[in-house]
Amino acid sequence: MVKRPSNDLALCGECHQEIAANYRKSLHYTTIGQRNRVIKRMSKEEAKIFDEKVFEKSCRSCHASCGDCHVKSPAIAGVSLGLINKHKFVRRDEGKTCAFCHGGRVYPEYTGEYGGNADVHYQKGMMCMDCHTMDELHGDGKAYQLKEEVRDRPRCTDCHEPGREVKLTARVGHLKHAQNASCYACHSAGEYRQCFNCHGGHSEAKPGFYIGTSPRNRREITTLRIIPTVRDTFKPYGIRQANFDALPNYWDAPIHNIRKRTERTRNCDTCHEDRKGFLTMETLLKDSSRVNLELIKKPKPIPVSP
């Protein structure tokens, strides 16, 4: 008898051959993106220790099998909520499948359960897979190393085509910021969940809102998530992160609490004069990576006509 048959890609692949073959290489299954996101902080010797003692025994233990999405909830921090729908396979149920793993920050922001405004797409009845396609979740057969490499990731402009705005002010605003601001930078509704102070795997979560230079596109300002890796995060494993300052403690992030109108779309001064929500020297994480300084952005005041 097979204890958890839906955890076995080979068994699922007997009927769903292409899906299982693609999924074996997908980021959801390999979780290699988590490893590659942090490994640059480490020396070769430290990376070897990380792979053996941290990645395989911690990160990889939380990867998603077929059964983790279609039969039962995955065990998060040792806790499993059991079967999704008794003993039946479930094709899709984002409220249970996606939210089990992405319920720490993304899903509660999207539904408004975190305390802020619900995402406007959620209010219109859209769920995760209305934007994130099956191919994106199962993989397309390529072994990507980071999610940013995935082709056909959802983009706001897939549905909201520039140039088709009803209001002239919106059209002008989009033209002005098309090359230097992400959609989230203006349309994120407000504070979203940020995690701080990660020492030995423990972190405090509380609301926050940060805008700064994207670490992946230095010409763009966008919303930033705190990556709470600090210098002694992996100290219990003998990893001191020899190259800690090679990576920032903030990554550009598509925040899932989008609203059509925010205080930044209503008033240019919110960014250009008040610089509200922008990352500053005062709000940087203490003792964080020195490369964080490069993410601080000071918008220029809007010129006044004589």
Side-chain angles (χ1 to χ4, degrees), residues 143-274:
Y144 295 106
Q145 298 300 300
L146 292 168
K147 68 177 182 181
E148 287 75 21
E149 298 175 358
V150 177
R151 296 178 307 173
D152 301 328
R153 294 174 62 213
R155 293 175 173 80
C156 303
T157 51
D158 292 344
C159 293
H160 305 283
E161 185 179 348
R164 301 189 65 179
E165 300 88 344
V166 175
K167 290 187 176 181
L168 178 61
T169 51
R171 195 178 308 166
V172 172
H174 289 160
L175 283 172
K176 286 279 187 183
H177 296 89
Q179 302 300 321
N180 54 25
S182 72
C183 302
Y184 316 106
C186 292
H187 290 283
S188 181
E191 293 188 328
Y192 35 85
R193 186 169 292 188
Q194 299 278 11
C195 297
F196 300 81
N197 308 327
C198 186
H199 295 266
H202 303 288
S203 187
E204 176 191 9
K206 57 184 178 181
F209 180 81
Y210 297 105
I211 297 176
T213 300
S214 167
R216 279 183 277 261
N217 179 2
R218 297 303 174 95
R219 294 186 302 175
E220 181 183 78
I221 61 168
T222 191
T223 43
L224 300 172
R225 286 265 199 210
I226 292 175
I227 307 302
T229 303
V230 293
R231 295 179 190 274
D232 64 355
T233 293
F234 303 112
K235 186 178 179 180
Y237 304 97
I239 300 172
R240 67 180 184 87
Q241 300 183 88
N243 305 317
F244 181 80
D245 293 302
L247 296 175
N249 290 104
Y250 302 82
W251 284 116
D252 51 311
I255 308 304
H256 287 70
N257 63 356
I258 294 298
R259 307 290 293 183
K260 186 175 183 179
R261 301 194 69 188
T262 68
E263 57 183 332
R264 292 174 301 290
T265 64
R266 293 187 182 98
N267 190 339
C268 302
D269 287 348
T270 304
C271 290
H272 291 276
E273 294 293 337
D274 302 335

Side-chain angles (χ1 to χ4, degrees), residues 85-106:
N85 185 17
K86 299 180 180 178
H87 286 86
K88 299 177 182 176
F89 280 78
V90 175
R91 185 175 184 182
R92 54 183 289 186
D93 187 341
E94 294 102 313
K96 293 180 179 177
T97 53
C98 305
F100 277 142
C101 287
H102 300 282
R105 301 204 286 195
V106 175

Side-chain angles (χ1 to χ4, degrees), residues 81-137:
L81 298 180
L83 297 169
I84 297 171
N85 185 17
K86 299 180 180 178
H87 286 86
K88 299 177 182 176
F89 280 78
V90 175
R91 185 175 184 182
R92 54 183 289 186
D93 187 341
E94 294 102 313
K96 293 180 179 177
T97 53
C98 305
F100 277 142
C101 287
H102 300 282
R105 301 204 286 195
V106 175
Y107 194 78
E109 290 170 3
Y110 187 62
T111 60
E113 295 172 36
Y114 185 50
N117 294 315
D119 191 290
V120 67
H121 303 91
Y122 176 76
Q123 289 186 322
K124 291 181 179 297
M126 295 175 65
M127 291 297 288
C128 309
M129 291 190 70
D130 288 310
C131 292
H132 299 278
T133 64
M134 186 176 70
D135 285 345
E136 182 191 355
L137 305 180

